Coordinates of all heavy atoms in Angstrom, one line a residue:
M1 N 28.0 136.5 75.8 CA 29.4 136.0 75.9 C 30.2 136.8 76.9 O 30.8 136.3 77.7 CB 30.0 136.1 74.4 CG 31.4 135.3 74.4 SD 31.2 133.5 74.7 CE 32.9 133.1 74.9
K2 N 30.0 138.1 76.7 CA 30.8 139.1 77.6 C 30.4 138.8 79.1 O 31.2 138.8 80.0 CB 30.6 140.5 77.2 CG 31.7 141.5 77.8 CD 31.7 142.8 77.0 CE 32.7 143.7 77.6 NZ 32.3 144.4 78.9
G3 N 29.1 138.7 79.2 CA 28.5 138.6 80.5 C 29.0 137.2 81.2 O 29.3 137.2 82.3
H4 N 29.1 136.2 80.3 CA 29.5 134.9 80.8 C 30.9 134.9 81.3 O 31.2 134.4 82.3 CB 29.3 133.9 79.6 CG 29.7 132.5 80.0 ND1 28.9 131.8 80.9 CD2 30.7 131.7 79.6 CE1 29.4 130.6 81.1 NE2 30.5 130.5 80.3
L5 N 31.7 135.6 80.6 CA 33.2 135.7 80.9 C 33.3 136.5 82.1 O 34.1 136.0 83.1 CB 33.9 136.5 79.8 CG 35.4 136.4 79.9 CD1 36.0 135.0 79.6 CD2 36.1 137.4 78.9
S6 N 32.6 137.6 82.3 CA 32.8 138.3 83.6 C 32.3 137.5 84.8 O 32.8 137.6 85.9 CB 32.1 139.7 83.5 OG 30.8 139.5 83.4
Y7 N 31.3 136.7 84.6 CA 30.8 135.9 85.6 C 31.9 134.8 86.1 O 32.2 134.6 87.2 CB 29.6 135.1 85.3 CG 29.1 134.0 86.2 CD1 28.6 134.4 87.5 CD2 29.3 132.7 86.0 CE1 28.2 133.5 88.4 CE2 29.0 131.8 86.8 CZ 28.4 132.2 88.1 OH 28.1 131.2 89.0
Q8 N 32.6 134.3 85.1 CA 33.7 133.3 85.3 C 34.8 134.0 86.1 O 35.3 133.4 87.0 CB 34.2 132.8 84.0 CG 33.4 131.7 83.4 CD 34.1 131.0 82.3 OE1 35.0 131.6 81.7 NE2 33.6 129.8 82.0
I9 N 35.2 135.3 85.7 CA 36.2 136.0 86.4 C 35.8 136.2 87.9 O 36.5 136.0 88.8 CB 36.5 137.2 85.7 CG1 37.3 136.9 84.4 CG2 37.4 138.2 86.6 CD1 37.4 138.1 83.4
Y10 N 34.5 136.7 88.0 CA 33.9 137.0 89.3 C 34.0 135.7 90.2 O 34.5 135.8 91.3 CB 32.5 137.5 89.2 CG 31.8 137.6 90.5 CD1 32.2 138.6 91.5 CD2 31.0 136.6 91.0 CE1 31.6 138.7 92.6 CE2 30.4 136.6 92.2 CZ 30.7 137.6 93.0 OH 30.2 137.7 94.3
S11 N 33.6 134.6 89.6 CA 33.6 133.4 90.5 C 35.0 132.9 90.9 O 35.2 132.4 91.9 CB 32.7 132.3 89.9 OG 33.2 132.0 88.6
F12 N 35.9 133.2 89.9 CA 37.3 132.8 90.2 C 37.8 133.5 91.4 O 38.3 133.0 92.3 CB 38.2 133.0 89.0 CG 39.6 132.7 89.2 CD1 40.1 131.5 89.4 CD2 40.5 133.8 89.3 CE1 41.4 131.2 89.7 CE2 41.9 133.6 89.6 CZ 42.3 132.3 89.8
W13 N 37.7 134.9 91.3 CA 38.2 135.7 92.4 C 37.4 135.6 93.6 O 37.9 135.7 94.7 CB 38.3 137.1 91.9 CG 39.4 137.4 91.0 CD1 39.2 137.7 89.7 CD2 40.8 137.2 91.2 NE1 40.4 137.7 89.0 CE2 41.4 137.4 89.9 CE3 41.6 136.9 92.3 CZ2 42.8 137.4 89.8 CZ3 42.9 136.9 92.1 CH2 43.6 137.0 90.9
G14 N 36.1 135.2 93.4 CA 35.2 135.1 94.6 C 35.6 133.8 95.4 O 35.5 133.8 96.6
L15 N 36.0 132.8 94.7 CA 36.4 131.5 95.3 C 37.7 131.4 95.8 O 38.1 130.6 96.6 CB 36.1 130.2 94.4 CG 34.6 130.0 94.0 CD1 34.4 129.0 93.0 CD2 33.9 129.5 95.3
L16 N 38.6 132.3 95.3 CA 40.0 132.2 95.6 C 40.4 132.3 97.1 O 41.0 131.4 97.6 CB 40.8 133.2 94.9 CG 42.3 133.1 94.8 CD1 42.7 131.7 94.0 CD2 43.0 134.3 94.1
P17 N 39.7 133.2 97.8 CA 40.0 133.3 99.2 C 39.5 132.1 100.0 O 40.3 131.6 100.9 CB 39.2 134.5 99.7 CG 38.9 135.3 98.5 CD 38.8 134.3 97.4
L18 N 38.4 131.5 99.5 CA 38.0 130.2 100.1 C 38.9 129.1 99.9 O 39.3 128.3 100.8 CB 36.5 129.8 99.5 CG 35.8 128.7 100.2 CD1 35.3 129.3 101.5 CD2 34.6 128.4 99.3
W19 N 39.4 129.1 98.7 CA 40.4 128.0 98.3 C 41.7 128.1 99.1 O 42.2 127.1 99.6 CB 40.7 128.1 96.8 CG 41.7 127.1 96.3 CD1 41.5 125.8 96.2 CD2 43.1 127.3 96.1 NE1 42.6 125.1 95.8 CE2 43.8 126.0 95.8 CE3 43.9 128.5 96.3 CZ2 45.0 126.0 95.5 CZ3 45.3 128.3 96.0 CH2 45.8 127.1 95.7
I20 N 42.1 129.4 99.3 CA 43.3 129.5 100.0 C 43.1 129.2 101.5 O 44.0 128.5 102.1 CB 43.8 131.1 100.0 CG1 44.3 131.4 98.6 CG2 44.8 131.4 101.0 CD1 44.5 132.9 98.4
L21 N 41.9 129.5 102.0 CA 41.6 129.1 103.4 C 41.6 127.6 103.6 O 42.2 127.1 104.5 CB 40.2 129.7 103.7 CG 39.8 129.7 105.2 CD1 40.6 130.7 105.8 CD2 38.3 130.0 105.3
C22 N 41.0 126.9 102.6 CA 40.9 125.4 102.6 C 42.4 124.8 102.5 O 42.7 124.0 103.3 CB 40.0 124.9 101.5 SG 38.3 125.2 101.7
A23 N 43.1 125.4 101.5 CA 44.5 124.8 101.3 C 45.4 125.0 102.5 O 46.1 124.2 102.9 CB 45.1 125.5 100.1
S24 N 45.2 126.2 103.2 CA 46.1 126.4 104.3 C 45.6 125.7 105.6 O 46.4 125.3 106.4 CB 46.2 127.9 104.6 OG 44.9 128.4 104.9
S25 N 44.4 125.4 105.6 CA 43.8 124.7 106.8 C 44.0 123.2 106.7 O 43.8 122.5 107.7 CB 42.4 125.1 107.1 OG 41.6 124.6 106.1
T26 N 44.3 122.7 105.5 CA 44.4 121.2 105.4 C 45.7 120.8 105.9 O 45.9 119.6 106.1 CB 44.3 120.7 103.9 OG1 45.0 121.6 103.0 CG2 42.8 120.8 103.5
N27 N 46.7 121.6 106.0 CA 48.0 121.1 106.4 C 48.5 121.9 107.7 O 49.7 122.0 107.9 CB 49.0 121.1 105.3 CG 49.1 122.5 104.6 OD1 48.8 123.5 105.2 ND2 49.4 122.5 103.3
T28 N 47.6 122.5 108.3 CA 48.1 123.2 109.6 C 47.3 122.8 110.8 O 46.1 122.5 110.7 CB 48.0 124.8 109.5 OG1 46.8 125.1 108.9 CG2 49.1 125.4 108.6
C29 N 48.0 122.5 111.8 CA 47.4 122.1 113.1 C 46.9 123.3 113.8 O 47.4 124.4 113.6 CB 48.4 121.4 113.9 SG 49.3 120.1 113.0
T30 N 45.8 123.1 114.6 CA 45.3 124.2 115.4 C 46.0 124.1 116.8 O 45.8 123.1 117.5 CB 43.7 124.0 115.6 OG1 43.2 123.7 114.3 CG2 43.1 125.3 116.1
V31 N 46.6 125.2 117.1 CA 47.4 125.2 118.4 C 46.5 126.1 119.3 O 46.4 127.2 119.0 CB 48.8 125.7 118.2 CG1 49.5 125.6 119.6 CG2 49.5 124.8 117.3
R32 N 46.2 125.5 120.4 CA 45.4 126.3 121.5 C 45.9 125.9 122.8 O 45.9 124.8 123.3 CB 43.9 125.9 121.3 CG 43.0 127.1 121.3 CD 41.5 126.7 121.2 NE 41.0 126.6 119.9 CZ 40.6 125.5 119.3 NH1 40.6 124.4 120.0 NH2 40.2 125.5 118.1
H33 N 46.4 126.8 123.5 CA 46.9 126.7 124.9 C 47.9 125.5 125.0 O 47.6 124.5 125.8 CB 45.8 126.4 125.9 CG 44.7 127.4 125.9 ND1 44.9 128.7 126.2 CD2 43.4 127.3 125.5 CE1 43.8 129.3 126.1 NE2 42.8 128.5 125.6
E34 N 49.0 125.5 124.2 CA 49.9 124.4 124.2 C 49.4 123.0 123.9 O 50.0 122.0 124.2 CB 50.6 124.3 125.7 CG 51.7 125.3 125.9 CD 51.1 126.7 126.3 OE1 50.4 126.8 127.2 OE2 51.4 127.7 125.6
A35 N 48.2 123.0 123.3 CA 47.6 121.8 122.7 C 47.5 121.9 121.3 O 46.8 122.8 120.8 CB 46.3 121.4 123.4
A36 N 48.1 120.9 120.5 CA 48.0 121.0 119.0 C 47.0 120.0 118.6 O 47.2 118.7 118.9 CB 49.4 120.8 118.4
D37 N 46.1 120.4 117.8 CA 45.1 119.5 117.3 C 45.5 119.3 115.7 O 45.3 120.2 114.9 CB 43.7 120.0 117.3 CG 42.7 119.1 116.9 OD1 43.0 118.0 116.3 OD2 41.4 119.4 116.9
C38 N 46.0 118.2 115.4 CA 46.4 117.9 114.0 C 45.5 116.8 113.4 O 45.9 116.0 112.5 CB 47.8 117.5 113.9 SG 49.0 118.7 114.6
S39 N 44.3 116.6 114.0 CA 43.4 115.5 113.6 C 42.8 115.9 112.2 O 42.6 117.0 111.8 CB 42.3 115.3 114.7 OG 41.5 116.4 114.8
H40 N 42.5 114.8 111.5 CA 41.8 114.9 110.2 C 42.5 115.7 109.2 O 41.9 116.5 108.4 CB 40.3 115.5 110.4 CG 39.5 114.7 111.3 ND1 38.7 113.7 110.9 CD2 39.2 114.9 112.6 CE1 38.0 113.2 111.9 NE2 38.4 113.8 113.0
L41 N 43.8 115.6 109.1 CA 44.7 116.4 108.1 C 45.2 115.5 107.1 O 46.1 116.0 106.3 CB 45.6 117.2 108.9 CG 45.2 118.4 109.8 CD1 46.3 119.0 110.5 CD2 44.3 119.3 109.0
K42 N 44.9 114.3 107.0 CA 45.6 113.4 106.1 C 47.1 113.4 106.2 O 47.8 113.2 105.2 CB 45.1 113.6 104.6 CG 43.6 113.6 104.4 CD 43.3 113.7 102.9 CE 41.9 113.3 102.6 NZ 40.9 114.3 103.1
L43 N 47.6 113.6 107.4 CA 49.1 113.6 107.5 C 49.7 112.3 107.3 O 49.2 111.3 107.7 CB 49.4 114.1 108.9 CG 48.9 115.5 109.3 CD1 49.3 115.8 110.8 CD2 49.6 116.6 108.5
T44 N 50.9 112.3 106.6 CA 51.7 111.2 106.4 C 53.0 111.4 107.3 O 53.7 110.4 107.4 CB 52.0 110.9 105.0 OG1 52.6 112.0 104.5 CG2 50.8 110.4 104.3
H45 N 53.2 112.6 107.7 CA 54.4 112.8 108.5 C 54.1 113.6 109.8 O 53.1 114.3 109.7 CB 55.4 113.7 107.7 CG 55.9 112.9 106.5 ND1 55.5 113.1 105.2 CD2 56.8 111.9 106.5 CE1 56.1 112.3 104.4 NE2 57.0 111.5 105.1
I46 N 54.9 113.4 110.7 CA 54.7 114.2 112.0 C 55.1 115.6 111.8 O 56.1 115.9 111.3 CB 55.4 113.6 113.1 CG1 54.8 112.2 113.4 CG2 55.5 114.3 114.4 CD1 55.8 111.1 113.8
P47 N 54.2 116.6 112.1 CA 54.5 118.0 111.9 C 55.7 118.4 112.6 O 55.9 118.0 113.8 CB 53.3 118.8 112.4 CG 52.2 117.7 112.5 CD 52.8 116.4 112.7
D48 N 56.6 119.2 112.0 CA 57.8 119.6 112.6 C 57.9 121.1 112.8 O 59.0 121.7 112.9 CB 59.0 119.1 111.8 CG 59.2 119.5 110.5 OD1 58.2 120.2 110.0 OD2 60.0 119.0 109.7
D49 N 56.7 121.8 112.7 CA 56.7 123.3 112.7 C 55.8 123.8 113.8 O 55.4 124.9 113.7 CB 56.3 123.9 111.4 CG 55.1 123.2 110.8 OD1 54.5 122.4 111.5 OD2 54.6 123.6 109.7
L50 N 55.5 122.9 114.8 CA 54.7 123.4 115.9 C 55.5 124.0 117.0 O 56.7 123.7 117.0 CB 53.9 122.2 116.4 CG 53.0 121.4 115.4 CD1 52.5 120.1 116.0 CD2 51.8 122.3 115.0
P51 N 54.9 124.8 117.8 CA 55.6 125.3 119.0 C 56.2 124.2 119.8 O 55.6 123.2 120.0 CB 54.6 126.1 119.8 CG 53.5 126.4 118.8 CD 53.5 125.2 117.8
T52 N 57.5 124.4 120.1 CA 58.1 123.3 120.9 C 57.6 123.0 122.3 O 57.8 122.1 122.9 CB 59.7 123.5 120.9 OG1 59.9 124.8 121.5 CG2 60.3 123.4 119.6
N53 N 56.8 124.0 122.7 CA 56.3 123.9 124.2 C 54.9 123.2 124.3 O 54.3 123.3 125.3 CB 56.4 125.2 124.9 CG 55.5 126.3 124.2 OD1 54.7 125.9 123.3 ND2 55.6 127.6 124.6
I54 N 54.4 122.6 123.2 CA 53.1 122.0 123.3 C 53.1 120.8 124.2 O 54.2 120.1 124.3 CB 52.6 121.6 121.9 CG1 53.6 120.6 121.1 CG2 52.2 122.8 121.0 CD1 53.1 119.9 119.9
T55 N 52.1 120.5 124.9 CA 52.0 119.5 125.8 C 51.1 118.3 125.4 O 51.1 117.2 125.8 CB 51.6 119.9 127.3 OG1 50.3 120.5 127.1 CG2 52.5 120.8 127.9
V56 N 50.2 118.7 124.4 CA 49.2 117.7 123.9 C 49.3 117.8 122.3 O 49.4 118.8 121.7 CB 47.7 118.1 124.2 CG1 46.8 117.0 123.6 CG2 47.6 118.1 125.8
L57 N 49.5 116.6 121.8 CA 49.6 116.5 120.3 C 48.5 115.5 119.9 O 48.6 114.3 120.2 CB 51.0 116.2 119.8 CG 51.2 116.0 118.3 CD1 50.8 117.2 117.6 CD2 52.7 115.7 118.1
N58 N 47.5 115.9 119.1 CA 46.5 115.1 118.7 C 46.7 114.8 117.2 O 46.5 115.6 116.4 CB 45.1 115.8 118.9 CG 43.9 114.9 118.7 OD1 44.0 113.9 118.1 ND2 42.8 115.2 119.4
L59 N 47.1 113.5 117.0 CA 47.4 113.1 115.6 C 46.3 112.1 115.0 O 46.5 111.3 114.2 CB 48.7 112.4 115.5 CG 49.9 113.3 115.7 CD1 51.2 112.5 115.9 CD2 50.1 114.3 114.6
T60 N 45.1 112.1 115.6 CA 44.1 111.2 115.3 C 43.6 111.4 113.9 O 43.6 112.6 113.4 CB 42.9 111.2 116.3 OG1 42.4 112.5 116.3 CG2 43.4 110.7 117.7
H61 N 43.1 110.4 113.3 CA 42.5 110.4 111.9 C 43.4 111.0 110.9 O 43.1 111.9 110.2 CB 41.1 111.2 111.9 CG 40.1 110.7 112.8 ND1 39.2 109.7 112.4 CD2 39.9 111.0 114.2 CE1 38.4 109.3 113.5 NE2 38.8 110.1 114.5
N62 N 44.6 110.4 110.8 CA 45.5 110.8 109.8 C 46.0 109.5 109.0 O 45.4 108.5 109.2 CB 46.8 111.6 110.4 CG 46.4 113.0 110.6 OD1 46.0 113.7 109.7 ND2 46.4 113.4 111.9
Q63 N 47.1 109.7 108.3 CA 47.6 108.5 107.5 C 49.0 108.2 107.9 O 49.8 107.8 107.1 CB 47.5 108.8 106.0 CG 46.0 109.0 105.5 CD 45.8 109.6 104.2 OE1 46.8 110.0 103.5 NE2 44.6 109.9 103.9
L64 N 49.3 108.3 109.2 CA 50.6 108.0 109.6 C 50.9 106.5 109.7 O 50.0 105.8 110.1 CB 50.8 108.6 111.0 CG 50.7 110.2 111.1 CD1 50.5 110.6 112.5 CD2 52.0 110.8 110.6
R65 N 52.0 106.1 109.3 CA 52.3 104.7 109.3 C 53.3 104.4 110.5 O 53.3 103.2 110.9 CB 53.0 104.3 108.0 CG 52.1 104.3 106.9 CD 52.6 103.9 105.5 NE 51.6 104.0 104.5 CZ 50.8 103.1 104.2 NH1 50.8 101.9 105.0 NH2 49.9 103.2 103.3
R66 N 54.1 105.4 110.8 CA 55.0 105.1 111.9 C 55.1 106.4 112.8 O 54.7 107.5 112.3 CB 56.4 104.9 111.3 CG 56.7 103.6 110.8 CD 57.9 103.5 109.8 NE 58.8 104.5 110.0 CZ 60.0 104.4 110.6 NH1 60.2 103.3 111.2 NH2 60.9 105.4 110.6
L67 N 55.5 106.2 114.0 CA 55.6 107.3 114.9 C 57.1 107.3 115.5 O 57.3 106.9 116.6 CB 54.6 107.3 116.1 CG 53.1 107.4 115.8 CD1 52.3 107.2 117.1 CD2 52.8 108.7 115.1
P68 N 58.0 107.6 114.6 CA 59.4 107.5 115.1 C 59.8 108.4 116.3 O 59.4 109.6 116.1 CB 60.3 107.9 113.8 CG 59.3 107.9 112.7 CD 58.0 108.2 113.3
P69 N 60.4 108.0 117.3 CA 60.6 108.8 118.4 C 61.4 110.1 118.1 O 61.2 111.1 118.7 CB 61.4 107.9 119.4 CG 61.3 106.5 118.9 CD 61.0 106.6 117.4
V70 N 62.3 109.9 117.1 CA 63.2 111.1 116.8 C 62.3 112.2 116.3 O 62.7 113.4 116.5 CB 64.2 110.7 115.6 CG1 63.5 110.3 114.3 CG2 65.2 111.7 115.4
N71 N 61.1 112.0 115.7 CA 60.3 113.1 115.2 C 59.6 113.8 116.3 O 58.9 114.8 116.1 CB 59.2 112.5 114.1 CG 60.0 112.0 112.9 OD1 60.8 111.0 113.1 ND2 59.7 112.5 111.8
F72 N 59.7 113.3 117.5 CA 59.1 114.0 118.6 C 60.0 114.6 119.6 O 59.7 115.3 120.6 CB 58.2 112.9 119.4 CG 57.1 112.4 118.7 CD1 57.1 111.1 118.1 CD2 55.9 113.2 118.5 CE1 56.1 110.6 117.5 CE2 54.9 112.7 117.7 CZ 54.9 111.4 117.2
T73 N 61.3 114.5 119.3 CA 62.3 115.0 120.2 C 62.2 116.5 120.4 O 62.5 116.9 121.4 CB 63.7 114.6 119.7 OG1 63.9 114.9 118.4 CG2 64.1 113.2 120.0
R74 N 61.8 117.3 119.4 CA 61.7 118.7 119.5 C 60.5 119.1 120.5 O 60.5 120.2 121.1 CB 61.5 119.4 118.2 CG 60.4 119.0 117.4 CD 60.2 119.7 116.1 NE 59.4 120.9 116.2 CZ 59.9 122.2 116.0 NH1 61.1 122.4 115.7 NH2 58.9 123.1 116.1
Y75 N 59.6 118.2 120.7 CA 58.5 118.5 121.6 C 58.7 117.8 123.0 O 58.2 116.9 123.4 CB 57.1 117.9 121.1 CG 56.9 118.4 119.6 CD1 56.7 117.4 118.6 CD2 56.8 119.7 119.3 CE1 56.5 117.9 117.3 CE2 56.6 120.1 118.0 CZ 56.5 119.2 117.0 OH 56.3 119.6 115.7
S76 N 59.7 118.4 123.7 CA 60.1 117.8 125.0 C 59.2 118.0 126.1 O 59.2 117.3 127.1 CB 61.4 118.4 125.4 OG 61.3 119.9 125.5
Q77 N 58.1 118.8 125.9 CA 57.1 119.1 126.9 C 55.9 118.2 126.8 O 54.9 118.2 127.6 CB 56.6 120.5 126.9 CG 57.6 121.6 126.8 CD 58.4 121.8 128.1 OE1 57.8 121.9 129.1 NE2 59.7 121.7 127.9
L78 N 55.9 117.3 125.7 CA 54.7 116.5 125.4 C 54.3 115.5 126.5 O 55.2 114.7 126.9 CB 55.0 115.8 124.1 CG 53.9 115.5 123.1 CD1 53.1 116.8 122.8 CD2 54.4 114.8 121.9
T79 N 53.1 115.6 126.9 CA 52.7 114.6 127.9 C 51.6 113.7 127.4 O 51.4 112.6 127.8 CB 52.2 115.2 129.2 OG1 51.3 116.3 128.8 CG2 53.3 115.9 129.9
I80 N 50.8 114.2 126.4 CA 49.7 113.4 125.8 C 49.9 113.4 124.3 O 50.0 114.4 123.7 CB 48.3 114.1 126.2 CG1 48.1 114.1 127.6 CG2 47.2 113.2 125.5 CD1 46.8 114.9 128.0
L81 N 50.0 112.1 123.8 CA 50.0 112.0 122.4 C 48.9 111.0 122.0 O 48.8 109.9 122.4 CB 51.4 111.4 122.0 CG 51.5 110.9 120.5 CD1 51.6 112.1 119.6 CD2 52.9 110.2 120.4
D82 N 48.0 111.6 121.1 CA 46.9 110.7 120.7 C 47.1 110.3 119.3 O 47.1 111.2 118.3 CB 45.6 111.5 120.9 CG 44.4 110.6 120.7 OD1 44.4 109.5 120.3 OD2 43.3 111.1 121.2
G83 N 47.3 109.1 119.1 CA 47.6 108.6 117.7 C 46.6 107.6 117.1 O 46.9 106.8 116.3
G84 N 45.4 107.8 117.6 CA 44.4 106.8 117.1 C 44.0 107.0 115.7 O 44.2 108.1 115.1
F85 N 43.3 106.1 115.1 CA 42.8 106.1 113.7 C 43.8 106.6 112.7 O 43.7 107.5 112.0 CB 41.7 107.1 113.7 CG 40.5 106.8 114.6 CD1 40.4 107.4 115.8 CD2 39.5 105.9 114.2 CE1 39.4 107.0 116.7 CE2 38.5 105.5 115.0 CZ 38.4 106.1 116.3
N86 N 44.9 105.8 112.7 CA 46.0 105.9 111.7 C 46.2 104.6 111.0 O 45.5 103.6 111.2 CB 47.2 106.5 112.3 CG 47.2 108.1 112.4 OD1 47.2 108.7 111.3 ND2 47.0 108.6 113.6
S87 N 47.4 104.5 110.3 CA 47.7 103.2 109.7 C 49.0 102.7 110.4 O 49.9 102.3 109.6 CB 47.8 103.4 108.2 OG 46.8 104.1 107.6
I88 N 49.1 102.8 111.6 CA 50.4 102.5 112.3 C 50.6 101.0 112.4 O 49.6 100.3 112.9 CB 50.5 103.1 113.7 CG1 50.5 104.7 113.5 CG2 51.7 102.7 114.5 CD1 50.1 105.4 114.8
S89 N 51.6 100.5 111.8 CA 51.7 99.0 111.8 C 52.9 98.6 112.8 O 53.1 97.4 113.2 CB 52.1 98.5 110.4 OG 53.2 99.3 109.9
K90 N 53.7 99.7 113.2 CA 54.9 99.3 114.1 C 55.0 100.5 115.0 O 54.9 101.6 114.7 CB 56.1 99.2 113.2 CG 57.2 98.6 114.0 CD 58.4 98.5 113.0 CE 59.7 98.2 113.8 NZ 60.8 99.0 113.3
L91 N 55.1 100.1 116.3 CA 55.3 101.1 117.3 C 56.7 101.0 117.9 O 57.1 100.0 118.4 CB 54.2 101.0 118.4 CG 53.9 102.2 119.3 CD1 53.5 103.4 118.4 CD2 52.7 101.9 120.2
E92 N 57.4 102.1 117.9 CA 58.8 102.1 118.4 C 58.8 102.6 119.8 O 57.9 103.2 120.3 CB 59.6 103.0 117.6 CG 60.1 102.3 116.2 CD 59.9 103.2 115.0 OE1 58.9 103.5 114.6 OE2 61.0 103.6 114.5
P93 N 59.9 102.2 120.5 CA 59.8 102.6 122.0 C 59.7 104.0 122.3 O 60.1 104.8 121.6 CB 61.3 102.2 122.4 CG 61.8 101.3 121.4 CD 61.1 101.6 120.2
Ligands
LIG101 C1 60.7 112.1 110.7 O1 61.5 113.2 110.4 C2 62.4 113.0 109.3 C3 63.4 114.2 109.2 O2 62.7 115.3 109.3 C4 61.6 112.9 108.1 O3 62.4 112.7 106.9 C5 60.6 111.8 108.1 O4 59.7 111.8 107.1 C6 59.8 111.9 109.4 N1 58.9 110.8 109.6 C7 57.6 110.9 110.0 C8 56.8 109.6 110.1 O5 57.1 112.0 110.2
LIG102 C1 54.7 128.6 123.9 O1 55.2 129.1 122.8 C2 54.4 130.1 122.1 C3 55.0 130.4 120.8 O2 56.4 130.2 120.8 C4 54.3 131.2 123.1 O3 53.5 132.3 122.5 C5 53.7 130.8 124.4 O4 53.7 131.9 125.3 C6 54.5 129.6 125.0 N1 53.8 129.2 126.2 C7 54.5 128.8 127.3 C8 53.7 128.4 128.5 O5 55.7 129.0 127.4
LIG103 C1 41.8 114.2 119.5 O1 40.8 114.6 118.6 C2 39.8 113.6 118.4 C3 38.8 114.1 117.4 O2 39.2 115.2 116.7 C4 39.1 113.5 119.8 O3 38.0 112.5 119.8 C5 40.1 113.1 120.9 O4 39.5 113.1 122.1 C6 41.3 114.1 120.9 N1 42.4 113.5 121.8 C7 42.8 114.3 122.7 C8 43.9 113.7 123.6 O5 42.5 115.5 122.9

């Protein structure tokens, strides 16, 4: 019984860093050289915490329904926006 309990405690603390890693990586984009990769993150909203100087924003394979222009105003340097593989039903100017 005692051995079983300590095994459970061990596996809990052993898995915790992994869980934190997964939890933090599911909702953060990878930013590399002013290009933000936000693909495959199940996003329903456009991230508003990325560096404002990004030029590429990859939003592919998410669950976005709309791409309101107002949500991109902070990214004034943006030249490439990839919005493929989402559930976009309406595209605004
Ligand atoms: C756009 O930004 C507004 C205000 O921050 C937010 O409430 C809304 O959910 C955002 N929409 C999308 C599709 O990201
Ligand atoms: C873009 O912003 C990031 C973080 O704010 C900064 O580290 C980087 O040097 C900036 N890049 C350019 C080209 O301004
Ligand atoms: C965005 O990411 C997808 C897959 O992760 C890739 O196929 C696509 O080429 C990328 N788009 C851009 C503009 O980098």
Side-chain angles (χ1 to χ4, degrees):
M1 190 64 197
K2 195 167 183 283
H4 182 65
L5 190 69
S6 66
Y7 172 73
Q8 279 188 339
I9 291 169
Y10 169 77
S11 57
F12 174 74
W13 290 111
L15 288 172
L16 196 63
L18 192 69
W19 178 78
I20 291 171
L21 197 70
C22 290
S24 60
S25 66
T26 49
N27 51 32
T28 44
C29 309
T30 315
V31 182
R32 226 181 270 119
H33 309 295
E34 280 81 54
D37 184 0
C38 301
S39 60
H40 302 275
L41 293 179
K42 298 188 171 69
L43 294 178
T44 53
H45 295 104
I46 291 143
D48 58 3
D49 52 0
L50 299 169
T52 51
N53 60 11
I54 55 167
T55 57
V56 181
L57 180 53
N58 195 330
L59 290 170
T60 56
H61 300 273
N62 281 298
Q63 294 163 4
L64 296 162
R65 292 180 180 278
R66 279 158 30 95
L67 297 175
V70 65
N71 298 59
F72 295 103
T73 47
R74 57 179 268 117
Y75 308 120
S76 54
Q77 315 287 309
L78 210 58
T79 51
I80 301 174
L81 173 66
D82 194 341
F85 302 95
N86 277 289
S87 316
I88 297 160
S89 52
K90 189 174 171 232
L91 203 55
E92 280 137 290

